[in-house]
Amino acid sequence: MAPTTNDDAGPPPPKKARSENNSPANAADSSTTSSLEPSFGLPFITLTYATSLDSQLSLAPGTQTHLSGPLSKSLTHHLRTRHSGILIGVSTAVADDPGLNSRLAGTDLAKQPTPIVLDPTFRWNLRRNSRVLQTAREGKGKAPMVVVGSDAYKIGDPRIQWVVEAGGQVVVLDLDADDGKRWSWEYLLRSLKSYELDSIMIEGGGEVINSLLKEENQKYVGAMIVTVAPTYLGKGGVRVCPDRREDEEGKVVSAVSFSDVQWLPLGRDVVMAAKVDW
C-alpha cells in the first residue's frame, strides 16, 4: 500500500505564507530538539504524509498518486534536511522508485537524510539504476539502508552488491517471533539508533502509517506533519484509519488525539503540525 513520495519534481524555494514562527516547518524544527519519552535511547520520529479529504493516500494499492502541491512539497523537502533518516515501507519503494533525498537547491550531502526501506521479505525488485542508488552515485543524496528479515537475506543476491556499490548497506534483523512478518517498532527503532540515526522522518506507506498510529505505538511518534489536499480520491484507495479505541468502560473514544496543533495554508493545501497525545 503506497502513497506517492514527494520525489517527482524539484520543489520551488519555500514561500512564507505567514510569520515563519507559526509555520509547520518551524514547529517541526523545534519539536526535534525534544526528547522522546518514556522510550529513551530511541530516534526522534516525525510521521508525515499527504492525504485527500477522505483520508486516502493513493487511488489504489501500488498506484502512485500526486497529492501535495508545490509549496507543501517544498516543506517536505525542507523537513528531510532536519532528520538523520527518511523511512518508507517496501510497497512505497516498489510503486514510486523514489530518490528519498531533499531536492531543495543548495542542499549539501551532509544535510541529506539516510534512506531507509523496510523490506521484511526482500521483495523490492531493486536494480542498479534504481533512483535511490542513482541519486547516491550522483552525490545528490545518501545511499540507502535496506532492512530485511534474516530468512530473506541470500548471499550472492546481486541487489546486495548494488546497494553496497552505491555506498549503502543491507541490514538483517530477525522478524518478530510471534508475527513472523514484521518487526516491533521498539526493536526496529532501537536497531536503527545503533546506526547513529538520531531522528527519522517516516513518510509511508499506508501499512507503516497505520501501524504507528496504533494505540501501543503512538508513544514512538514525536511529531506529526499532515498535508491535506483539496480532493476526494473515492472508495478503494489506500486509507489512513487507525484502529478503534475504547476506554475502560468500553465507550468508543478518539483513536488519536493531538496537542500543540498548528495549521498553515500552503497554496491549495493545508498543513497540520502537531504532537501526538498518548
Side-chain angles (χ1 to χ4, degrees):
M1 294 185 286
T4 182
T5 53
N6 284 308
D7 279 320
D8 47 291
K15 296 180 181 179
K16 295 181 181 179
R18 292 182 187 172
S19 168
E20 186 174 330
N21 289 333
N22 293 326
S23 73
N26 193 67
D29 288 348
S30 62
S31 293
T32 56
T33 63
S34 304
S35 59
L36 181 61
E37 298 178 352
S39 304
F40 297 107
L42 300 182
F44 185 93
I45 298 301
T46 300
L47 180 60
T48 180
Y49 61 93
T51 180
S52 63
L53 291 172
D54 47 351
S55 195
Q56 303 205 65
L57 306 175
S58 65
L59 288 163
T63 301
Q64 189 177 51
T65 305
H66 301 297
L67 289 172
S68 299
L71 294 181
S72 56
K73 190 178 299 180
S74 178
L75 170 63
T76 297
H77 283 260
H78 164 74
L79 289 172
R80 289 179 178 181
T81 68
R82 306 293 292 175
H83 293 78
S84 303
I86 174 175
L87 184 149
I88 61 171
V90 63
S91 294
T92 302
V94 170
D96 292 1
D97 186 27
L100 297 176
N101 63 329
S102 173
R103 302 186 68 182
L104 289 179
T107 302
D108 59 42
L109 190 59
K111 291 187 176 181
Q112 292 285 357
T114 296
I116 306 162
V117 178
L118 302 184
D119 191 358
T121 61
F122 209 179
R123 67 180 179 87
W124 186 14
N125 187 24
L126 191 67
R127 305 176 304 280
R128 181 176 271 114
N129 64 344
S130 289
R131 192 171 175 189
V132 69
L133 299 182
Q134 186 65 25
T135 297
R137 285 194 295 269
E138 293 174 355
K140 298 178 180 177
K142 293 181 179 176
M145 172 185 293
V146 185
V147 185
V148 304
S150 53
D151 291 342
Y153 183 89
K154 307 296 181 185
I155 295 176
D157 188 327
R159 294 174 297 175
I160 300 173
Q161 179 182 346
W162 297 336
V163 171
V164 173
E165 284 177 353
Q169 56 189 319
V170 176
V171 175
V172 182
L173 298 178
D174 291 334
L175 295 172
D176 187 281
D178 296 328
D179 183 279
K181 297 180 180 179
R182 55 185 60 83
W183 303 277
S184 71
W185 282 105
E186 168 78 21
Y187 172 58
L188 177 64
L189 294 176
R190 198 167 296 282
S191 298
L192 294 176
K193 176 71 173 181
S194 69
Y195 289 90
E196 298 184 352
L197 294 167
D198 297 322
S199 59
I200 299 174
M201 184 167 165
I202 297 180
E203 293 195 19
E207 184 176 346
V208 170
I209 295 168
N210 283 315
S211 174
L212 269 172
L213 292 179
K214 288 183 177 180
E215 182 178 4
E216 64 271 22
N217 295 328
Q218 292 176 18
K219 61 181 177 288
Y220 301 120
V221 180
M224 196 155 175
I225 312 290
V226 180
T227 298
V228 182
T231 184
Y232 287 98
L233 294 184
K235 295 180 180 179
V238 177
R239 190 180 182 197
V240 173
C241 188
D243 294 336
R244 174 174 295 206
R245 290 179 60 180
E246 297 180 352
D247 62 17
E248 296 177 354
E249 299 178 352
K251 181 180 178 181
V252 177
V253 296
S254 296
V256 186
S257 298
F258 300 97
S259 61
D260 297 340
V261 178
Q262 296 186 42
W263 291 92
L264 180 70
L266 284 177
R268 67 189 187 94
D269 304 326
V270 178
V271 179
M272 181 193 79
K275 294 181 179 179
V276 176
D277 285 338
W278 47 270

